[in-house]
Amino acid sequence: MDAILLGFLEQAPAQQRYLTSPYFPSKVGGKPAWLNLRDLPDTKCERCRGPLSFLLQVYADLDVRETTFHRSLYVFCCKQTDCQGKSGAYKVFRCQLARQNEFFPYELKDRAAEEEEEQRKAKSKAKPKSKAQKQPDNTGVSLVPLCVVCGCKAESCCASCNAFHYCSDAHRQEHRRSGTHQCESAVEAADLTSTSGAVLPEFELVVEEDDTEPSGQQQQDEDEEEEDEEDADESQFKHELDLLRKYQEEQAQTKMTESDSKLEGELMEDLFKKMAVTDVDETFTAFNAAVAHHPEQVLRYWRSSASSPLWVASANQIAVSAVPSCPICGGRRVFEFQVMPQILYYMGESIGDLDFGTLAVFTCESSCDSAPPGFYVPEYVHFQACK
């Protein structure tokens, strides 16, 4: 059985280029690092037709054939209240390329070597031998206009200056309010403060193998312990339920404002417990126990024919057999990864009304090629509420 991988957030690197397309990153927030730089997908909400917010992308190459040498999955969500939990308000796209492709060189960039060279230069006081200006590296630059606000496919541009492109009227207005649009038509609106948080805070997403999976005698001991606790009084969950009630009261009055803090240790555990369903059930108990060792995880990756999500509650689950088939090849989809609720706290106020218990992503089992190859294939995402 393939190992479960856990995703954790790290501060974006000082050199922002490491989170751009030529470095094939896994990341949360910011703007998408597109794989296919020309044929971009539709990132509008199917319900309100507003722009979806880019939540994260996972670089998950597969060693199955030449065309999956590069492979990325992109998750987008609508932050509008009326769209929460509704079909079409969440989208996942899969894109894959062969090593030999029209967008990126065959020889990959070596981030580790570049970082080592940068450190060496920083320590050296020697002046550069040549004053020749280095030619700009255009690798990974989009071949189509991108929205200046969110980095998705643009549909229009500023009629006054033609310098800025937008995916929607909402982001046109967002740009005007931000004060960074400097053409004459934006002068009157330049002093307005943007509050919509169109782009989520950017983090690097790093993955590590889950070292807490029980086996052998450890699993037997844990099973016996669970049997001993089956008849325990529900009062053992009083702390979690008190936290839930407090959380709901706080949410009714104000938004979370802890985007600048690392929610780790006991604080993260308490915040996680706030996501508990009001009716304590075995599913939530298992969910809580599974993440207790690494409460700051924001993603769980487990792609195999037998894998399944770690559900937060017994309600609103979906069986793999009920997941719609791949729209390209008609084959079945398998579970690949899920987005954990902890990610919402790292996003702070920028999440708007976005709320979920988990987002489970199912992808084509064979990771089939689109026609033509390299297009963004829509995959299936299942929303499960936190309560």
Side-chain angles (χ1 to χ4, degrees), residues 121-344:
K121 289 182 178 180
K123 294 179 180 179
S124 175
K125 297 182 179 180
K127 295 182 178 180
K129 297 180 179 181
S130 174
K131 295 184 179 181
Q133 188 173 5
K134 184 178 180 180
Q135 293 298 316
D137 183 1
N138 292 322
T139 303
V141 176
S142 175
L143 302 180
V144 295
L146 299 180
C147 176
V148 67
V149 175
C150 69
C152 293
K153 180 172 64 175
E155 296 181 348
S156 62
C157 66
C158 175
S160 299
C161 66
N162 294 320
F164 300 111
H165 293 82
Y166 307 100
C167 68
S168 62
D169 186 62
H171 281 182
R172 181 197 303 273
Q173 297 302 321
E174 166 75 13
H175 192 216
R176 289 167 63 90
R177 288 193 299 267
S178 71
T180 57
H181 189 164
Q182 299 299 323
C183 78
E184 292 183 3
S185 65
V187 172
E188 294 181 0
D191 60 341
L192 298 180
T193 301
S194 170
T195 58
S196 65
V199 176
L200 299 175
E202 188 174 42
F203 295 88
E204 186 167 12
L205 181 62
V206 297
V207 296
E208 300 175 6
E209 186 172 329
D210 187 2
D211 57 3
T212 61
E213 288 299 296
S215 60
Q217 185 61 42
Q218 180 185 357
Q219 179 66 65
Q220 181 179 342
D221 294 342
E222 291 184 4
D223 290 342
E224 292 176 354
E225 183 178 350
E226 288 178 5
E227 292 177 3
D228 293 339
E229 295 177 352
E230 280 182 355
D231 297 327
D233 189 85
E234 187 172 305
S235 62
Q236 66 179 302
F237 294 102
K238 184 178 183 301
H239 179 57
E240 288 89 335
L241 295 175
D242 288 342
L243 284 168
L244 174 64
R245 283 189 285 270
K246 183 178 179 182
Y247 167 73
Q248 292 172 331
E249 292 173 359
E250 293 173 347
Q251 283 292 85
Q253 299 175 2
T254 182
K255 296 289 183 183
M256 296 293 291
T257 58
E258 299 182 35
S259 58
D260 295 329
S261 63
K262 283 266 189 179
L263 304 179
E264 298 176 347
E266 183 177 353
L267 176 59
M268 172 60 86
E269 291 185 35
D270 285 350
L271 287 170
F272 170 72
K273 290 172 183 176
K274 294 177 187 177
M275 304 299 290
V277 290
T278 54
D279 295 325
V280 177
D281 60 19
E282 294 180 359
T283 304
F284 168 69
T285 303
F287 184 87
N288 194 23
V291 304
H293 294 285
H294 299 291
E296 68 276 19
Q297 62 187 275
V298 299
L299 181 136
R300 291 176 70 88
Y301 185 97
W302 185 24
R303 190 182 198 276
S304 77
S305 59
S307 62
S308 60
L310 179 65
W311 298 114
V312 71
S314 57
N316 195 30
Q317 298 183 15
I318 187 172
V320 175
S321 59
V323 173
S325 300
C326 174
I328 303 300
C329 69
R332 80 167 192 145
R333 285 180 166 126
V334 295
F335 172 69
E336 183 151 355
F337 69 88
Q338 68 188 99
V339 184
M340 305 295 280
Q342 291 92 318
I343 196 172
L344 300 175

Side-chain angles (χ1 to χ4, degrees), residues 22 24 35 59 61-63 65-71 95-110 139 369 373-374:
F24 310 105
L35 200 54
Y59 184 73
D61 56 312
L62 296 177
D63 187 20
R65 60 181 177 277
E66 182 181 349
T67 53
T68 58
F69 184 86
H70 294 301
R71 182 174 177 273
C95 185
Q96 55 197 43
L97 298 171
R99 183 169 185 177
Q100 188 72 53
N101 62 79
E102 61 179 302
F103 304 114
F104 304 99
Y106 186 86
E107 295 300 326
L108 308 181
K109 290 181 178 293
D110 188 339
T139 303
D369 294 317

